[in-house]
Amino acid sequence: MNKIASIISLALLMPLAALAQTVKSPDGNVSLTFSLTGNGVPTYEMTYKNKAVVKPSHLGLELAKDKHASKGLRETSLMDGFTETGSTKSTFDETWTPVWGQYAKIRNHYNEMAVNLTQSATKRKMTIRFRVYNIGMGLRYEFPQQDSLVYFVIKDEHTQFAMAGDHTAWWLPGDYDTQEQETQESKLSEIRARFHDAVNWNNSSVAVFSPTGVQTALQMKTKDGLYINIHEAACIDYATMHLNLDDKNMVFESWLTPDATGMKGYMQTPCNTPWRTVAVSDDARDMLSEANNLIYNLNEPCKIKDTSWIHPTKYCGVWWEMIVGRNSWNYTDEYPSIKLDSIDWSKVKPNGRHGANNTEVRKYIDFAAANGLSEVLVEGWNVGWEDWANHWKDYVFDFVTPYPDFDIKALNDYAHSKGVKLMMHNETSSSVVNYERHLEAAYNLMNKYGYDAVKSGYVGDIIPRGDHHFSQPMNNHYLYCVKEAAKHHIMVNAHEATRPTGIARTWPNLVGNESARGTEYEAFGGSYPNHTVILPFTRLQGGPMDYTPGILETQLKTWSDNPSYVHTTLAGQLALYLVMWGPLQMAADLPENYAKYNDAFQFIKDVAIDWSDSKYIEAEPARYITVARKAKGSDNWFLAGKCDEHGHQSTVKLDFLDKGRKYEATIYADAKNASYDKNPKAYVITKRTVKKGDTLKFTEAPGGGFAVSLKPAR
């Protein structure tokens, strides 16, 4: 046998894995390798600085034998039997300008490998595209138009993430309907034992699926100090992804949210899945900056041509007093149920506790006007709140008819005369079909009275009945509302909707979501003090949260019958305006409570909510975050730190300031004896002149923090 023949024979005998292809990040630290293993199974692995991040992991989709698929009950799956028909590699490098966010410019720099595959037995074609960044990678499945694959139904997606060890993880129980849970910290192997007690079973919707199921974004830390985050980007026309853990082998697998039929997705080629992302670094600060940029970079550019009407919004509102229990959303207690088309509201007996009344709303308008807040949210303004929740009721609200004590025209006229706008509230009670049938009328009403933002809500179980909050149809609904709102120049802040995946790059009128356990839970017994220093590593990866901070009267019993208290110090609440970043920020406390702490309230009035630059100075998941941000369109900087229940010593060198310029620093800090549980409102305000290179030191109390405004000296 000659030498050439020997080489050919050897190649034929080699396993397919030997034909692996590798693509690296621009800096060379992240390496991703793709191969076909076994019976033509797509497989990838990933390293960071030569350390294993994702061990060899399989890729594929299991398809349903369904009459709606092109092959009907003869359907086969896209799991194995593939051969490679070619691949391409490329490099991309651009810098783009977000409408709002942490940075004025974001660099999108990656190396790409697209592998074209054909399933020999079916002649079906699939491309797996990998984009590798310095912070990690994204992968997705793409299906070109083809005769052999037109309509198909996803039974399950089997994207694996094989971990290299029993990492420490910060996780939420996987759930098809809610993210309003408290983050758990444990080894991966401990998830199963802790799962039941980790679930908030009293939430209005709970649909867990596995004792080892968790949500994304999942933050982990390895024994040797790598920070790993698994999430998804650009979840469009697809179900939200959870992760299910094989805790014997430490392998996560994608777990999609089903719709009411139990299926995970209905697809028509050409199409693609969302990106599955893995971020990695040996510096936790990168998880708060570059990992977040990774999610945005994997979304399409802005599709709104004129974005001038989209603006950062600092607001207050008729909300906290109802959450705490002093006032009510409903107008009357007279009826056990309400049918909107048969009630004469002029003859209804009011309960005397309705919060959204003319006098109360005018009070908040005056407060906003006096303190530079641009909008006032009013919840409970519209008829139907008497029996709105947890009844699977279809026609709950019409979104246009106010209660008798809410004069919609007069109040909007009054607000506009003061230079303030009202913020619309559209609670749907998860009756999605009802909201969509009324959506155009609701948006037209907003345009008529000058509303430019809406807070929508999805409390309760979904109608169509049997569907889930995070299914493909529901994700399509949320985006439909955002797109329609853009036509009306309305910004959207959706609560109880799916967690964001960077779609706000494409549709920046999506200025906020809740999609996690917010400040309202501080009135329901409280959240752990570390809650706000883990959310930026998890929930905020795909976009900002309307967390509603600024509760300065942290002990609710001082003004209500509610015995709960906020699990931060007062200074810690101020820090949240930077730590829980976003272009939509609420001054959530009552005007009379701000009057009690007017000197501390000054920071809330001063702080910017849109940024040209951000510097993460120190960070550790669920322990502490210290960040400096420069206000967009200004030379002002703001600095803040937040910590968990153990307190934190922070030393900040002001090397981010402009050279040769002096700044007036106003420092809001915990007092020496402060703590979130025993002495939460002990704070100290000091002023000093500082310059680039100076150092500030802070002792953050248990559950505490600090905030600093830095303005150029005149």
Side-chain angles (χ1 to χ4, degrees):
M1 184 181 292
N2 62 39
K3 185 175 181 180
I4 295 176
S6 297
I7 294 173
I8 294 173
S9 298
L10 181 62
L12 291 173
L13 292 172
M14 291 175 69
L16 287 171
L19 303 177
Q21 303 171 77
T22 297
V23 59
K24 293 189 176 185
S25 59
D27 65 3
N29 288 334
V30 179
S31 180
L32 185 140
T33 299
F34 174 82
S35 60
L36 291 171
T37 59
N39 181 32
V41 178
T43 304
Y44 79 101
E45 57 187 297
M46 173 181 167
T47 62
Y48 175 74
K49 295 182 179 179
N50 298 317
K51 294 180 180 179
V53 177
V54 180
K55 297 194 300 182
S57 300
H58 294 159
L59 302 169
L61 286 89
E62 181 181 355
L63 306 187
K65 297 181 185 300
D66 187 280
K67 68 179 183 180
H68 302 96
S70 293
K71 291 179 69 172
L73 300 181
R74 298 178 292 105
E75 183 61 276
T76 56
S77 290
L78 299 168
M79 297 289 295
D80 56 18
F82 286 99
T83 58
E84 183 179 330
T85 57
S87 65
T88 59
K89 291 184 178 180
S90 60
T91 296
F92 186 82
D93 192 2
E94 69 168 359
T95 299
W96 58 278
T97 302
V99 176
W100 48 259
Q102 298 193 77
Y103 305 96
K105 301 285 185 181
I106 294 177
R107 188 181 184 187
N108 187 13
H109 187 199
Y110 59 82
N111 292 330
E112 180 177 282
M113 179 171 66
V115 182
N116 300 318
L117 304 173
T118 297
Q119 195 176 44
S120 302
T122 65
K123 307 303 180 185
R124 289 177 162 181
K125 299 176 182 179
M126 177 174 74
T127 296
I128 302 179
R129 189 175 303 275
F130 301 92
R131 290 181 180 172
V132 184
Y133 294 77
N134 294 342
I135 190 63
M137 72 91 192
L139 70 86
R140 75 178 183 186
Y141 306 87
E142 300 177 356
F143 307 95
Q145 194 162 54
Q146 53 196 292
D147 292 339
S148 58
L149 183 65
V150 183
Y151 295 96
F152 61 99
V153 180
I154 298 174
K155 182 178 179 182
D156 282 299
E157 179 193 315
H158 294 284
T159 302
Q160 293 183 343
F161 306 86
M163 297 294 97
D166 188 10
H167 305 328
T168 298
W170 290 270
W171 55 276
L172 294 178
D175 194 303
Y176 297 147
D177 281 302
T178 184
Q179 295 136 165
E180 295 181 2
Q181 313 278 7
E182 288 208 80
T183 302
Q184 307 296 308
E185 179 179 334
S186 76
K187 296 292 187 181
L188 295 177
S189 60
E190 297 168 342
I191 291 175
R192 182 183 298 271
R194 294 183 54 160
F195 188 89
H196 180 275
D197 291 344
V199 177
N200 175 16
W201 297 101
N202 294 321
N203 192 277
S204 59
S205 296
V206 176
V208 297
F209 57 83
S210 164
T212 56
V214 298
Q215 300 188 24
T216 69
L218 176 68
Q219 180 65 52
M220 292 173 284
K221 185 179 181 180
T222 71
K223 291 179 180 178
D224 55 355
L226 288 187
Y227 300 88
I228 301 171
N229 192 289
I230 302 176
H231 194 28
E232 63 177 326
C235 186
I236 296 172
D237 195 17
Y238 207 80
T240 294
M241 180 184 76
H242 310 269
L243 300 170
N244 195 43
L245 177 66
D246 170 358
D247 52 358
K248 292 182 179 179
N249 299 299
M250 300 304 161
V251 177
F252 285 108
E253 189 166 278
S254 58
W255 190 285
L256 303 182
T257 305
D259 64 11
T261 72
M263 292 297 134
K264 307 294 180 68
Y266 296 83
M267 311 294 283
Q268 176 186 350
T269 59
C271 59
N272 55 259
T273 70
W275 297 92
R276 282 63 188 94
T277 65
V278 181
V280 59
S281 178
D282 49 18
D283 189 335
R285 296 175 297 179
D286 291 340
M287 296 293 103
L288 303 175
S289 54
E290 295 307 314
N292 177 256
N293 288 345
L294 168 68
I295 304 299
Y296 278 91
N297 279 331
L298 289 169
N299 279 266
E300 293 185 11
C302 179
K303 291 189 175 182
I304 301 174
K305 291 183 179 180
D306 174 17
T307 60
S308 61
W309 52 274
I310 302 170
H311 58 87
T313 302
K314 197 184 297 183
Y315 71 104
C316 61
V318 184
W319 174 75
W320 186 236
E321 62 192 63
M322 283 113 74
I323 291 291
V324 171
R326 190 169 75 175
N327 284 330
S328 69
W329 284 269
N330 59 297
Y331 176 75
T332 182
D333 300 331
E334 189 175 6
Y335 300 100
S337 70
I338 296 292
K339 292 189 175 180
L340 294 185
D341 54 3
S342 61
I343 295 285
D344 183 350
W345 289 99
S346 67
K347 297 178 181 178
V348 168
K349 180 182 178 181
N351 61 20
R353 295 178 290 105
H354 182 227
N357 64 74
N358 293 324
T359 300
E360 189 76 352
V361 174
R362 281 191 172 90
K363 181 182 78 173
Y364 278 89
I365 292 170
D366 291 341
F367 174 75
N371 292 285
L373 306 179
S374 59
E375 303 205 7
V376 175
L377 168 71
V378 184
E379 296 200 11
W381 69 275
N382 56 316
V383 297
W385 286 89
E386 284 69 23
D387 61 344
W388 70 283
N390 301 317
H391 301 298
W392 249 351
K393 180 181 177 181
D394 182 357
Y395 188 21
V396 193
F397 302 107
D398 67 9
F399 308 100
V400 296
T401 305
Y403 279 122
D405 60 348
F406 185 89
D407 188 329
I408 187 169
K409 182 181 186 305
L411 288 171
N412 278 282
D413 287 347
Y414 183 71
H416 296 163
S417 74
K418 297 270 189 172
V420 173
K421 291 184 177 182
L422 295 188
M423 183 181 293
M424 178 55 71
H425 184 241
N426 283 171
E427 174 57 59
T428 70
S429 191
S430 286
S431 182
V432 178
V433 290
N434 183 56
Y435 193 39
E436 289 193 2
R437 73 169 69 105
H438 288 97
L439 191 64
E440 183 68 16
Y443 286 169
N444 284 337
L445 181 80
M446 296 179 215
N447 289 156
K448 177 180 179 180
Y449 290 111
Y451 292 88
D452 66 2
V454 58
K455 173 185 174 182
S456 55
Y458 295 88
V459 173
D461 295 330
I462 297 294
I463 300 177
R465 297 176 182 88
D467 206 345
H468 295 289
H469 281 73
F470 313 142
S471 68
Q472 181 189 37
M474 284 303 301
N475 285 339
N476 289 345
H477 164 79
Y478 303 134
L479 187 55
Y480 170 73
C481 292
V482 170
K483 291 179 178 180
E484 291 301 303
K487 297 176 184 178
H488 290 264
H489 287 194
I490 292 170
M491 300 178 290
V492 176
N493 167 29
H495 281 225
E496 295 89 27
T498 192
R499 50 191 171 273
T501 58
I503 293 173
R505 177 188 179 184
T506 312
W507 298 98
N509 64 314
L510 179 59
V511 291
N513 290 96
E514 184 191 39
S515 308
R517 185 181 174 104
T519 295
E520 63 185 337
Y521 278 85
E522 300 289 4
F524 309 152
S527 297
Y528 296 138
N530 67 4
H531 187 57
T532 52
V533 283
I534 186 57
L535 285 178
F537 288 93
T538 54
R539 161 61 186 79
L540 271 69
Q541 285 296 307
M545 178 181 177
D546 181 26
Y547 189 72
T548 61
I551 307 299
L552 302 190
E553 184 45 81
T554 61
Q555 295 166 308
L556 306 185
K557 63 184 179 181
T558 63
W559 61 273
S560 74
D561 295 329
N562 192 321
S564 299
Y565 65 94
V566 179
H567 286 54
T568 73
T569 65
L570 185 151
Q573 282 290 303
L574 300 181
L576 297 181
Y577 288 92
L578 273 73
V579 172
M580 299 292 292
W581 67 275
L584 183 74
Q585 296 285 2
M586 188 178 194
D589 213 336
L590 276 57
E592 52 265 39
N593 289 336
Y594 286 129
K596 291 166 60 177
Y597 307 102
N598 194 52
D599 54 352
F601 178 57
Q602 185 63 45
F603 180 81
I604 298 176
K605 293 166 62 175
D606 290 342
V607 68
I609 54 175
D610 193 18
W611 310 102
S612 62
D613 199 8
S614 296
K615 306 288 187 183
Y616 285 97
I617 296 165
E618 54 181 355
E620 185 66 20
R623 301 294 186 266
Y624 53 81
I625 296 172
T626 304
V627 60
R629 303 190 192 274
K630 188 176 185 181
K632 187 176 289 185
S634 168
D635 291 324
N636 296 340
W637 282 85
F638 295 87
L639 169 70
K642 182 72 182 65
C643 69
D644 67 359
E645 66 273 17
H646 298 106
H648 181 61
Q649 297 288 333
S650 182
T651 300
V652 180
K653 189 173 183 181
L654 304 177
D655 53 5
F656 50 83
L657 297 178
D658 292 342
K659 186 177 181 179
R661 172 175 274 177
K662 292 183 178 181
Y663 293 79
E664 295 296 334
T666 305
I667 302 167
Y668 305 80
D670 293 319
K672 290 183 179 180
N673 58 345
S675 67
Y676 76 93
D677 52 350
K678 295 183 175 63
N679 196 16
K681 294 172 287 190
Y683 64 96
V684 177
I685 301 175
T686 57
K687 294 179 182 290
R688 56 180 289 189
T689 302
V690 298
K691 64 182 185 304
K692 181 181 178 69
D694 286 351
T695 298
L696 297 177
K697 295 183 178 182
F698 303 93
T699 299
E700 297 174 55
F706 65 87
V708 184
S709 62
L710 295 151
K711 300 179 179 180
R714 294 180 178 178

